[in-house]
Amino acid sequence: MSERNISPDNQLESIQSMLSYGHKSIHLEKHTLILWGVGIGFLTAFTHDVSSIFYEQGHTLGRIFQISFVAIVLLAITWFDYRKTRAIRAVRDETISLVQRKVTFSIWMIFAFALLLDIYANIYLGGGRKMFGVYLVLGGIVLIMFGLYSERWYRWSGVVLILIGLVIMFMLQPSNTSRLLTASVFTAGGIGIAYLQPYAVTKVKCVWFSLLWVLGAVVLTTIVYQLDYYLDIKPDQEKVWQWSEYQQANPDGKHVVRISAGNQIPVELTVSGDVFEGKAEADLQLKVSKNIDIEFKNGKPTGIYRIDDGSWFESNDALFTRRFIRQTIVTDKQGPKLLREIEIGTQRRLGGLSGD
Amino acid sequence: MSADKPLDSILHQPVRTRLVAFLAGRGEATFKELKELLQVTDGNLDAHLRKLSAVNYISSRKQQVNNRFQTFYSLTEKGRDNLKSYVASLQSLLLSGKDNG
């Protein structure tokens, strides 16, 4: 074809389409989704148990081990995924596009951010379990980022992950249930999204296949919950002691003790701060409104409890500061006055903090 | 830019235009990827790659994969600059054509 016969219009169109094709050629390998899904699922499910030995030696040691463990597993997944992806592409005689490299780099930054959140939650919020929903939302953002340059299925799956993450953040208390659910969503999601990807070509199929892997996650949660967690913590003893009876007998071994509704339990409150001299303490007597059964071992609570003959829980999941109201008012007689109201509950709910 | 400026003869060829534009978007590509994309024979593609390499529009690097060498092609700074100039020339050609027509 001679130079004169080539139309500028066609040439510009050709350049436009090739540039666009070069930019959009992103492809997620199957192993990447499975590796990250199962890997993060594993971290969510087992980090707490693996770290517990170190937590027994001290909280600081436990936290250092937990954060190091998470960082090492994430780095190992990143390294293995990087090597495997390049090996697969080399065998297929394919390169990794510039855009994919940049998106992958952004995603590593997001995982680094998630690790920082975990560190923050461990130091300031008393544990990473409060961040499960946030990790799912971040996972969803990662999938949407990939989806923007490739297929609808990834965008769709990302939105589903974000929705589940929001439900866990706002509707569920940070408990073993939310831990297992998060772990199952990551695991079932990673495997499901990878294997269903070739079939999810239309919007309708995207909906059905999303429901399928979400269902898989729920089934996995239920199975693990029944097999491991619930049966594991349920006390063996049939007899429920009354508190006064237990106090008098003071028996050795594990026993379940009931604090019946109507009994008073003391709530010790200490207030101090850098603008106050010393601290003020108060012993408040509050009546319990429900029967609380607590497991004791040799006179000390083990942390296992239930309310009104319901399911058994661990004390980590027991009492939440559901609402904390802070106000500063000015009264005629006393001048400025600080008001603090704390609501404690066994179920978390929205609207945790208010005031001025 | 003047519409009278001659178009870059290396880039003003459909296969080479598409090849260079793809590399600009993709970053790097193997011989096989380029061949599948452009739907040309090995000999034809090799000839175009040689022409582009001779004027330093593209560069190549070799990497050993499973006991064989794989060649990766990418655009050089010169190639990228010339593609931009070429696009500008085409646009000014179009504009001058509209003005005259």
Side-chain angles (χ1 to χ4, degrees), chain A residues 170-321:
Chain A
F170 295 109
M171 310 288 280
L172 293 183
Q173 57 201 58
S175 60
N176 269 335
T177 314
S178 62
R179 176 164 69 102
L180 289 179
L181 184 60
T182 307
S184 304
V185 167
F186 271 120
T187 307
I191 297 169
I193 295 166
Y195 281 100
L196 296 171
Q197 181 264 331
Y199 313 104
V201 284
T202 62
K203 272 185 191 171
V204 177
K205 283 184 177 173
C206 281
V207 175
W208 282 111
F209 288 138
S210 296
L211 286 175
L212 194 64
W213 73 254
V214 170
L215 184 71
V218 173
V219 169
L220 193 61
T221 307
T222 313
I223 292 170
V224 177
Y225 190 84
Q226 292 298 329
L227 285 179
D228 173 40
Y229 166 71
Y230 181 71
L231 294 175
D232 194 28
I233 66 160
K234 189 181 174 188
D236 302 326
Q237 300 75 27
E238 292 294 326
K239 185 187 173 185
V240 177
W241 297 62
Q242 289 302 314
W243 174 243
S244 53
E245 186 189 359
Y246 181 77
Q247 237 182 343
Q248 279 177 359
N250 197 18
D252 285 340
K254 282 185 177 179
H255 299 277
V256 175
V257 182
R258 171 164 295 178
I259 298 170
S260 304
N263 280 354
Q264 279 194 329
I265 56 166
V267 175
E268 196 177 295
L269 189 69
T270 306
V271 181
S272 62
D274 55 5
V275 291
F276 302 117
E277 274 186 26
K279 57 185 176 183
E281 292 172 356
D283 243 343
L284 309 171
Q285 295 294 323
L286 293 178
K287 265 186 190 173
V288 291
S289 59
K290 295 169 183 174
N291 292 330
I292 305 173
D293 294 339
I294 303 166
E295 187 189 56
F296 277 76
K297 185 181 177 186
N298 301 332
K300 287 184 178 173
T302 61
I304 307 295
Y305 78 100
R306 70 174 170 180
I307 290 172
D308 274 348
D309 297 326
S311 299
W312 289 92
F313 291 99
E314 277 185 287
S315 63
N316 281 342
D317 313 329
L319 297 173
F320 297 96
T321 302

Side-chain angles (χ1 to χ4, degrees), chain A residues 68-86:
Chain A
S68 311
F69 178 72
V70 172
I72 289 167
V73 173
L74 285 179
L75 279 173
I77 296 172
T78 308
W79 181 81
F80 188 75
D81 180 33
Y82 180 87
R83 301 281 303 196
K84 176 105 177 142
T85 302
R86 268 148 189 79

